[in-house]
Amino acid sequence: MARSYRILVLHGPNLNLLGKREPGTYGLSTLAEINQSLEKLAVHLSCELSTFQSNHEGELIDRIHAAMDKHHGILINPGAYTHTSVAIRDAIAAVSLPTVEVHLSNIHKRESFRHHSYIAPVAIGQISGFGPNSYLLGLRALVEYLQLQSNA
Ligand code: DQA
């Protein structure tokens, strides 16, 4: 039986409006639907998720700090904080938990201010452009990474 990993799933600002927000860019799935599909996959991967969304940088940082000693990894869509937040980057570096960065849209295909991520250098990797599937691919990648680490 595979080990059960505890994963913190963080959604950044404005992602609470998914489904209504710029559907041409972000699609019609709501955040609740994305969380439900993550939960389904988590059962299959036998991992446990804690999910949290906030429009406030400090609240996201508090959750990252609290994940230390409680979670094995972090799946994060930092939203616009991707492109602005040295503080979230530093929090991820501080807790030193394997982190996967995900985006619904392909940030590299969009405005140039979205091309830079402060999070990418402290993440295992980034998955961008697959809509809600970015989250599912990200969770698979994170769990496989943790499994490989524990077998090493
Ligand atoms: C996003 C991309 C960011 O540039 C943007 O600010 C978001 C959503 C995405 O999932 O595509 O809020 O992270």
Side-chain angles (χ1 to χ4, degrees):
M1 172 80 184
R3 181 169 169 196
S4 177
Y5 294 105
R6 290 186 302 278
I7 309 292
L8 176 64
V9 180
L10 290 178
H11 307 282
N14 301 309
L15 294 169
N16 53 310
L17 297 182
L18 285 178
K20 293 185 203 130
R21 174 194 182 200
E22 301 181 71
T25 301
Y26 299 116
L28 290 170
S29 299
T30 64
L31 192 61
E33 287 165 348
I34 289 172
N35 284 336
Q36 274 163 21
S37 57
L38 278 170
E39 284 295 347
K40 257 196 210 163
L41 179 61
V43 171
H44 179 68
L45 298 175
S46 72
C47 61
E48 237 178 82
L49 304 184
S50 310
T51 54
F52 179 71
Q53 187 277 330
S54 179
N55 296 321
H56 305 278
E57 193 174 20
E59 284 186 359
L60 293 163
I61 292 166
D62 288 344
R63 292 296 173 125
I64 293 166
H65 291 177
M68 204 164 26
D69 307 323
K70 274 200 216 134
H71 292 89
H72 298 98
I74 301 174
L75 182 71
I76 184 168
N77 182 348
Y81 288 141
T82 306
H83 320 296
T84 64
S85 183
V86 175
I88 290 178
R89 179 226 175 272
D90 284 355
I92 293 169
V95 300
S96 187
L97 287 171
T99 296
V100 173
E101 173 188 350
V102 300
H103 299 283
L104 296 147
S105 63
N106 181 350
I107 58 173
H108 302 287
K109 224 172 145 179
R110 300 182 61 195
E111 303 96 320
S112 58
F113 67 85
R114 294 185 204 275
H115 296 176
H116 178 258
S117 167
Y118 280 101
I119 311 305
V122 293
I124 309 165
Q126 181 195 73
I127 297 173
S128 179
F130 295 94
N133 202 27
S134 291
Y135 283 95
L136 302 177
L137 293 167
L139 182 60
R140 283 185 189 278
L142 180 55
V143 171
E144 280 184 31
Y145 176 90
L146 291 168
Q147 281 166 350
L148 283 172
Q149 285 244 309
S150 66
N151 293 334

